[in-house]
Amino acid sequence: MAEVDSHEGVQDLEKKIEETRQRFRNEFLQDSTDKYDSRDVERLQEDDALVEGYLTWRLYVVDDALKMIDDSFQWRKEYGVNDLTESTIPKWMFETGAVYLHGYDKEGNKLFWFKVKLHVKDAKTIMDKKKYVAFWLERYAKKEPGMPLTVVFDMADSGLSNIDMDFVKYVINCFKVYYPKFLSKMIIVDMPWIMNAAWKIVKSWLGPEAISKLKFASKSEVQTFIGPEYLPPHMGGTDPFKYSYPPLPDDDFQTPICDNGPIVSEDETESKEGEMESKDALESSFNSEVVAKPKKVNFLEDSLRSEDNDKADTSARTKGARKPLTTFKGLLLDVSPAEELSFGSGETEKKSLIILSNVTKNQVAFKVRTTAPEKYRVKPSSSCCEPGASVDIVVSLHGGSQASPQDRFLVMAAEMDNAGSQELAQFWKEVPKTKIMEHRLRCHVLESIKPALSPLRDSPMDIATSGQQELSTALMRVTACNSRLEQKLNTCLWVQKVLIGLVLVLMVLNLSCLYLLGTAQRPS
């Protein structure tokens, strides 16, 4: 029954998406084709996730979603969002460090920082500042499509001169209208009491659908949302990050990261493998042009060597690795899984498999990077794939490392025309960035389930224990859901009490006025 409901829900969503597109063409595009950027219109017709984002934020009311799309697309054309680049923004804005992306909250959402003390209201620069915010949001939207952001207003050492209500309203509108579903939460940290009145106005701009996302936190309370590793020292954190420009600090994959993590010498064989893999890790930065003694690998030789080794090693290497269930269809490679690698805390849950399938007629070079090289080992981390062939890549946690939702993986691929005559390291230095396919994977942490005590497999006791654990997990989820509903109900009851109180006050005032009026009219 649940499957039928799910299928009907999918069909209904597809109808809503098609209805939205059809009405947008008929009602908004007929009279004025210059009203929007053609690239945005084209993306609306092709990207289901984009339309779904607007529909979801407007509670699947097509009329409301269409108005939101109209407002959003007009804004995108007015600000030239599709053409915003680093060179189109005044350099001094990057140098101030008033706005930037860095770090993650405890739920794995990227942090979008606003250093309020560095903002000064100025009518001459307000347009550039708005474009600057749009630049960061658009940049992130392209790098991490569909992934929400947590906005952090760092109000340390700020005052009334730093509050620009027009600018704050613009930032809120960016998440309400222009980038729907992007806002995870908005954390106001260390707000001076003198700004309470201003932020009451801000809360009224958020609207009912986003008011629950606004969090006020002191220095001690902010660690409820963000771990100390991503908080600056003045918030009680341990993050040594200091903003500087250039380069831009938002892209984790542009920091020096390795193809593999550090080698843990469990035995001599593992140690020798580690020494060979550490040579590959010398090419450690996406932008680095200087590599100390790079390992030269001929594509043809590497392909032949790997073909021989893979026959013997593949089954052993992939044993115990979690198989992917979804696939991303790329221009050069199909990547499985499509969005995330799953890891757990048990010994049998510390490996995940990435399958790359070449969909071109040429050889495709690939390499896999991670933002946490100290945790993961990637085998192979860099090689090539023949036309029509597939390559299995095992990503494994080693040592006592634990997976985290903040961890990311990047698959890079580029098509080769003359594969036999080029060296792998040299190729990655010379290949134009426009010819590189990039696909990002998130890390998903599985819920830990305690194993059954009985050593017998598939025994009745195992089955019963497993069923109890599943039931316990389901009950915990139901309890958590009930808790959230209870909180919402308490909020509604509180609002109801406030309204009743206001009505009683008005009634008392009304009776007082009637009494005074009667007293005034009574003859002396």
Side-chain angles (χ1 to χ4, degrees):
M1 185 70 181
E3 291 181 0
V4 174
D5 292 341
S6 175
H7 181 65
E8 290 178 352
V10 171
Q11 285 186 327
D12 187 52
L13 177 59
E14 289 174 351
K15 289 179 182 178
K16 291 274 188 181
I17 290 173
E18 187 53 40
E19 180 188 351
T20 303
R21 285 176 174 152
Q22 186 65 40
R23 287 187 56 185
F24 184 78
R25 286 193 296 266
N26 295 339
E27 299 173 21
F28 291 86
L29 287 181
Q30 275 189 340
D31 299 331
S32 54
T33 55
D34 297 333
K35 191 177 180 182
Y36 317 111
D37 188 318
S38 60
R39 290 167 288 185
D40 293 328
V41 175
E42 183 178 350
R43 194 159 66 95
L44 187 77
Q45 301 302 326
E46 297 175 354
D47 189 349
D48 288 352
L50 178 66
V51 185
E52 185 182 350
Y54 287 110
L55 283 168
T56 304
W57 197 242
R58 296 289 83 188
L59 302 176
Y60 299 96
V61 178
V62 176
D63 287 334
D64 294 345
L66 286 169
K67 184 180 184 307
M68 195 175 185
I69 292 170
D70 178 49
D71 292 340
S72 177
F73 281 14
Q74 286 190 64
W75 169 79
R76 291 180 66 85
K77 182 166 184 179
E78 179 187 355
Y79 283 78
V81 175
N82 287 316
D83 298 311
L84 287 178
T85 63
E86 199 173 336
S87 60
T88 61
I89 305 293
K91 187 179 179 181
W92 66 266
M93 288 194 173
F94 290 104
E95 291 173 342
T96 62
V99 178
Y100 59 87
L101 289 160
H102 171 69
Y104 298 88
D105 67 10
K106 288 186 175 181
E107 296 176 355
N109 302 312
K110 192 78 172 180
L111 298 176
F112 192 22
W113 292 87
F114 285 81
K115 296 280 188 179
V116 179
K117 72 175 183 179
L118 298 177
H119 178 82
V120 179
K121 187 173 181 178
D122 184 359
K124 294 179 181 179
T125 60
I126 188 63
M127 181 58 75
D128 284 332
K129 288 175 181 176
K130 290 180 177 180
K131 287 184 177 181
Y132 184 47
V133 172
F135 165 83
W136 282 108
L137 289 172
E138 186 70 6
R139 182 180 177 85
Y140 179 76
K142 290 177 180 177
K143 289 180 178 292
E144 297 281 0
M147 291 294 291
L149 283 168
T150 291
V151 177
V152 183
F153 281 95
D154 181 2
M155 305 195 73
D157 303 322
S158 63
L160 288 176
S161 61
N162 303 119
I163 289 291
D164 183 346
M165 301 307 284
D166 178 54
F167 182 71
V168 173
K169 189 172 185 178
Y170 168 80
V171 173
I172 290 171
N173 271 336
C174 281
F175 290 101
K176 280 183 63 177
V177 181
Y178 312 139
Y179 293 90
K181 291 185 69 179
F182 256 53
L183 184 62
S184 168
K185 51 187 164 289
M186 186 177 289
I187 307 174
I188 318 298
V189 185
D190 203 21
M191 186 182 72
W193 65 269
I194 200 169
M195 295 186 184
N196 282 333
W199 280 99
K200 284 181 181 178
I201 298 172
V202 170
K203 287 177 71 173
S204 68
W205 291 338
L206 281 171
E209 72 277 3
I211 195 69
S212 62
K213 298 178 183 291
L214 188 64
K215 313 292 181 184
F216 291 88
S218 64
K219 290 179 182 178
S220 59
E221 294 169 338
V222 70
Q223 292 195 26
T224 307
F225 308 105
I226 306 169
E229 69 274 16
Y230 287 121
L231 284 175
H234 74 269
M235 289 186 183
T238 58
D239 190 358
F241 171 80
K242 290 184 179 179
Y243 181 91
S244 63
Y245 176 81
L248 293 172
D250 71 306
D251 193 347
D252 293 317
F253 297 105
Q254 299 220 3
T255 57
I257 58 175
C258 301
D259 293 324
N260 279 308
I263 304 306
V264 179
S265 300
E266 297 172 354
D267 52 45
E268 287 186 7
T269 305
E270 196 71 22
S271 179
K272 289 177 181 178
E273 285 182 8
E275 290 174 7
M276 293 300 292
E277 288 180 353
S278 64
K279 293 179 182 178
D280 291 339
L282 288 172
E283 189 189 355
S284 61
S285 172
F286 277 63
N287 297 327
S288 176
E289 293 296 329
V290 180
V291 182
K293 297 181 181 179
K295 179 183 177 183
K296 295 186 176 181
V297 182
N298 183 283
F299 269 82
L300 185 58
E301 292 175 2
D302 183 63
S303 177
L304 293 173
R305 192 183 302 114
S306 63
E307 186 177 342
D308 294 335
N309 293 337
D310 283 349
K311 291 178 181 178
D313 297 342
T314 299
S315 59
R317 181 160 48 85
T318 61
K319 186 178 180 181
R322 183 173 293 275
K323 303 298 189 294
L325 301 176
T326 57
T327 301
F328 166 78
K329 301 290 185 181
L331 296 175
L332 305 179
L333 297 172
D334 285 351
V335 183
S336 301
E339 295 182 353
E340 56 189 24
L341 292 176
S342 298
F343 296 92
S345 57
E347 288 300 319
T348 59
E349 300 172 328
K350 291 197 171 185
K351 287 184 179 180
S352 260
L353 192 64
I354 300 176
I355 301 176
L356 304 180
S357 302
N358 188 346
V359 296
T360 73
K361 296 180 179 179
N362 294 318
Q363 197 173 53
V364 172
F366 69 85
K367 56 183 175 181
V368 181
R369 299 297 181 87
T370 174
T371 57
E374 72 283 358
K375 294 182 182 181
Y376 301 94
R377 182 171 299 166
V378 183
K379 295 183 180 181
S381 61
S382 179
S383 187
C384 57
C385 186
E386 295 295 329
S390 296
V391 176
D392 291 347
I393 299 172
V394 177
V395 181
S396 57
L397 285 160
H398 60 87
S401 300
Q402 296 292 325
S404 169
Q406 291 93 340
D407 300 338
R408 298 288 190 274
F409 302 87
L410 174 67
V411 178
M412 299 175 68
E415 194 172 10
M416 294 294 298
D417 295 325
N418 301 310
S421 62
Q422 284 186 285
E423 296 169 352
L424 186 59
Q426 189 64 28
F427 166 73
W428 284 112
K429 287 183 183 181
E430 296 176 353
V431 64
K433 289 186 178 181
T434 54
K435 291 188 176 181
I436 298 176
M437 170 191 139
E438 293 186 354
H439 183 66
R440 287 166 171 76
L441 297 169
R442 303 188 297 271
C443 177
H444 174 63
V445 181
L446 299 168
E447 294 181 7
S448 59
I449 300 176
K450 294 181 180 179
L453 295 175
S454 173
L456 299 175
R457 293 187 177 181
D458 300 329
S459 67
M461 188 178 293
D462 280 333
I463 296 170
T465 304
S466 176
Q468 288 175 359
Q469 290 166 348
E470 290 178 3
L471 180 60
S472 176
T473 302
L475 287 173
M476 287 174 64
R477 289 175 178 169
V478 171
T479 303
C481 183
N482 286 339
S483 177
R484 289 194 295 270
L485 289 173
E486 185 179 354
Q487 289 176 359
K488 292 181 179 179
L489 181 61
N490 288 337
T491 302
C492 293
L493 291 173
W494 180 82
V495 172
Q496 187 179 31
K497 289 177 182 178
V498 171
L499 291 174
I500 291 172
L502 289 173
V503 170
L504 290 173
V505 170
L506 290 172
M507 289 175 65
V508 170
L509 290 172
N510 190 29
L511 290 172
S512 300
C513 290
L514 290 173
Y515 174 76
L516 292 172
L517 185 62
T519 304
Q521 292 178 349
R522 188 180 304 160
S524 56

